[in-house]
């Protein structure tokens, strides 16, 4: 069974940056989109960024101008560069891949923004 492995989470001060990485345990074919979602305590999970196979990007309004999603098709890897992080960005971040075989989810990585 394919697993998505995330890395790059941690504790950062307000205004700081982190870069999340997500790669599958083995290659996944026919990926149409990759993305990141997050879930804060007591809140529903929501998509923060998404990138399609043609490179089109979409962001949640709350992260536009601060987060940048990118992908490496050769490595089946997706990244999330997060700049100017704020306390309200604190959440567990999950990556996802959409393919003809279904939707794959990562196990989640904690991002905490606090002084």
């Amino acid at each position: 069974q394919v697993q998505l492995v995330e890395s790059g989470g941690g504790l950062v001060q307000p205004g700081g940056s982190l870069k999340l990485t997500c790669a599958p345990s083995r290659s996944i074919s026919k990926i149409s989109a990759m993305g990141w979602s997050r879930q804060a305590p007591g809140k529903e999970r929501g998509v923060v960024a998404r990138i399609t196979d043609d490179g089109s990007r979409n962001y949640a309004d709350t992260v536009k101008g601060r987060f940048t999603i990118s992908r490496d098709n050769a490595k089946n890897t997706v990244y999330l560069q997060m700049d100017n992080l704020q306390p309200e960005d604190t959440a567990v971040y999950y990556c996802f891949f959409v393919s003809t075989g279904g939707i794959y989810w990562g196990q989640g990585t904690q991002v905490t923004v606090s002084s």
Side-chain angles (χ1 to χ4, degrees), residues 4 7 19 22 26 29 33 45 52 58 61-62 91 115:
L4 299 186
S7 61
K19 185 173 183 178
C22 174
R26 60 176 177 84
S29 62
R45 187 182 301 190
T52 63
N58 297 101
D61 288 342
T62 53
S115 56

Side-chain angles (χ1 to χ4, degrees), residues 4 19-24 26-28 31 33-36 51-55 57 68-80 96-97:
L4 299 186
K19 185 173 183 178
L20 305 182
T21 300
C22 174
R26 60 176 177 84
S27 181
I28 300 173
I31 298 172
M34 300 175 176
W36 293 89
I51 183 168
T52 63
D53 56 355
D54 65 357
R57 295 171 171 84
T68 303
I69 189 170
S70 61
R71 62 190 283 176
D72 184 331
N73 290 331
K75 296 181 179 180
N76 264 187
T77 299
V78 64
Y79 308 94
L80 186 67
F96 63 88
F97 285 14

Side-chain angles (χ1 to χ4, degrees), residues 23-115:
S25 55
R26 60 176 177 84
S27 181
I28 300 173
S29 62
K30 299 181 180 180
I31 298 172
S32 60
M34 300 175 176
W36 293 89
S37 65
R38 69 185 181 186
Q39 186 168 21
K43 296 187 177 180
E44 294 186 354
R45 187 182 301 190
V47 175
V48 295
R50 182 173 177 268
I51 183 168
T52 63
D53 56 355
D54 65 357
S56 298
R57 295 171 171 84
N58 297 101
Y59 298 95
D61 288 342
T62 53
V63 306
K64 281 181 181 177
R66 299 187 299 120
F67 290 12
T68 303
I69 189 170
S70 61
R71 62 190 283 176
D72 184 331
N73 290 331
K75 296 181 179 180
N76 264 187
T77 299
V78 64
Y79 308 94
L80 186 67
Q81 176 67 43
M82 306 184 292
D83 298 318
N84 191 21
L85 283 160
Q86 300 301 316
E88 53 267 32
D89 296 315
T90 295
V92 178
Y93 285 71
Y94 301 87
C95 65
F96 63 88
F97 285 14
V98 181
S99 78
T100 55
I103 301 176
Y104 301 88
W105 288 92
Q107 80 285 357
T109 185
Q110 177 70 45
V111 171
T112 302
V113 185
S114 175
S115 56

